[in-house]
Amino acid sequence: MSTENEGATGPSEAMPPTGPQASDSAPASASGAQTPDTPPVPATPPAAPPPPDFAPTTSGAPHGHAGPAPVGGTPGDQDRTVTMGAHPQPGRPHSGGGWGQQPPYGGGGDPWGAPGGSVPRKRNGGLIAAVLVAALVAGGIGGGIGFWAAGRDDTASTTVSAPGNPEALNRKPTSVSGIAQKALPSVVTIEAQGMTGEGGTGTGFIYDKQGHILTNNHVVASAAEGGGKLTVTFSNGKKYDAEAIGRAEGYDVAVIKLKHASDAVLQPLPLGRSANVQVGDATIAIGAPFGLSGTVTTGIISAKDRPVASSDGGGTSASYMSALQTDASINPGNSGGPLMDAGGNVIGINSAIQSAGSGGLGGEPQQSGSIGLGFAIPIDQAKRVAQDLIKTGRPVYPQIGVQVGMKDTGDGATIAQSGNNGTDAVTPGGPADKAGLRPGDTITKLDDTVIDSGPTLISEIWQHKPGDQVTLTYKRGGKENTAQVTLGQRTGDK
């Protein structure tokens, strides 16, 4: 059986099979829209004197990144696959998959009390953003009313203007607009390019005034591993070179630093507490989907503690998280960007998305639009990892010192009878060994969290830090037992 040393085996080693095509014997990777051009449709004015012309404008935005994507063919942040709990599904990490947002609130309102209304959004790849017919009709009606109210004598020309009320345009600081305007200068677009030209576009945000930026490992890996180049672009268009300070592949967290931080205006985003998040809380995501930097989307927390294993298509990078799930629209390029609460505090790092389809040509996952299933690394975990990376440049992984089967069965995480390459499945003298666990034991709970698989066990352990004491519930010979385990640690290269 293919196994993963849960804690004792570092994330830099070959990752276990977690995808739908995985088997117990061969490792497999697991991991993290457009409309056709529409010609403008003139509004139909009311009868009688003709209203003013309504000439819709069209605009397009190129993707903004000429380099080839490393996996999925879409320039931008890398494609990844997500596996959730005991039911692996083909998908992509948030930075590497496309999603279309569904309004999470009925009636067109929003939880921040901002005025209703929609904001036209640019599309990638030079596509034209056509003005909706409904908007034109609404505009025609409004113009017609203004005209008739002002000029019923049919003899004089009339100038129509919108009613003026400057106060109506003031946005509350707690509205989506208020939060976005404050946060956007602290959110950056990251372009990573390896020595051979591979790379893509992702997102990051200012972590401190020393110029550290928090993002995903898979956003910067191509440049950091190959001696490539990292470029950071702020919302005002200014660009800066950056360097990788530390990367945690297992957590999918990385810290980079501006090379000339003194030249930039650095305003760190406030960090919230992901432990305090509740299902149904409002969320705001900011990023650069398909290279469209400064894109703001909203949603809610759909679920907490969602076990997610994510990896790139090549199996060279895999991570495990007990994720925050959100329905805010997240697409390729959003990876590494902040997921914020209704107070403008960062509660997670957008990292992976679930794709609706898989099995394209050659068995590769298909690129698809947002289906409202996005996953973010909880900020409580990401903050701890970032502090380790800034301090030492290396991540620290808590461990219990066992190797478990990684096939998703839904029945728990079973300790292997023998470890990889002839090693012990239970590390002698390790935390699990001291607590009395043996090969063949099936771990079913960690504290109050149900464990349905090896990836779930890892993601839950990595929510803690070395030295924490946890209660493991396990089955042996059909009987249920519990053990108190003090987590050990392993320092990784990445």
Side-chain angles (χ1 to χ4, degrees), residues 131-425:
V131 179
L132 296 179
V133 175
L136 292 176
V137 173
I141 294 174
I145 292 175
F147 179 90
W148 283 96
R152 285 293 292 159
D153 61 359
D154 296 336
T155 60
S157 63
T158 303
T159 299
V160 180
S161 60
N165 182 5
E167 292 299 322
L169 300 179
N170 291 338
R171 270 69 172 183
K172 295 180 180 179
T174 54
S175 68
V176 175
S177 177
I179 291 173
Q181 295 308 312
K182 185 176 180 179
L184 280 168
S186 300
V187 179
V188 299
T189 299
I190 301 172
E191 293 182 44
Q193 187 173 31
M195 291 294 291
T196 59
E198 77 281 6
T201 301
T203 306
F205 59 93
I206 304 301
Y207 180 72
D208 59 28
K209 288 185 174 294
Q210 285 69 52
H212 291 112
I213 293 171
L214 202 53
T215 185
N216 285 144
N217 172 66
H218 75 264
V219 169
V220 303
S222 60
E225 293 176 352
K229 182 179 180 181
L230 290 172
T231 304
V232 171
T233 305
F234 283 76
S235 61
N236 60 7
K238 291 187 177 180
K239 294 178 178 288
Y240 300 88
D241 290 334
E243 59 183 340
I245 297 300
R247 301 187 294 120
E249 183 177 88
Y251 296 116
D252 197 19
V253 172
V255 176
I256 66 175
K257 186 177 182 180
L258 300 177
K259 291 185 177 180
H260 303 287
S262 59
D263 297 338
V265 178
L266 302 176
Q267 187 59 48
L269 286 182
L271 304 184
R273 287 290 311 279
S274 52
N276 296 336
V277 171
Q278 296 297 324
V279 173
D281 286 351
T283 59
I284 303 174
I286 302 181
F290 297 102
L292 301 176
S293 60
T295 296
V296 179
T297 57
T298 63
I300 61 169
I301 293 292
S302 304
K304 295 177 57 178
D305 303 320
R306 183 71 76 191
V308 173
S310 65
S311 76
D312 62 21
T316 58
S317 173
S319 61
Y320 302 89
M321 63 180 120
S322 184
L324 297 175
Q325 181 181 326
T326 182
D327 66 349
S329 181
I330 301 173
N331 291 278
N334 273 106
S335 281
L339 182 69
M340 299 186 295
D341 61 19
N345 304 300
V346 179
I347 54 175
I349 302 177
N350 297 317
S351 181
I353 64 172
Q354 181 72 27
S355 174
S358 64
L361 294 177
E364 292 295 328
Q366 296 175 351
Q367 193 80 313
S368 63
S370 170
I371 59 172
L373 296 174
F375 306 98
I377 303 164
I379 196 61
D380 293 353
Q381 180 187 52
K383 178 181 178 181
R384 175 176 58 79
V385 175
Q387 290 171 340
D388 289 336
L389 295 177
I390 292 172
K391 184 178 180 179
T392 68
R394 304 175 69 185
V396 175
Y397 297 95
Q399 64 167 0
I400 62 173
V402 301
Q403 296 184 47
V404 298
M406 298 302 290
K407 183 176 180 180
D408 297 292
T409 64
D411 297 328
T414 301
I415 302 175
Q417 292 294 340
S418 61
N420 292 320
N421 302 319
T423 60
D424 293 310

Side-chain angles (χ1 to χ4, degrees), residues 406-449:
M406 298 302 290
K407 183 176 180 180
D408 297 292
T409 64
D411 297 328
T414 301
I415 302 175
Q417 292 294 340
S418 61
N420 292 320
N421 302 319
T423 60
D424 293 310
V426 179
T427 304
D433 185 37
K434 292 179 180 179
L437 275 76
R438 304 174 187 170
D441 291 345
T442 299
I443 299 171
T444 58
K445 290 180 71 174
L446 189 152
D447 291 333
D448 295 326
T449 301

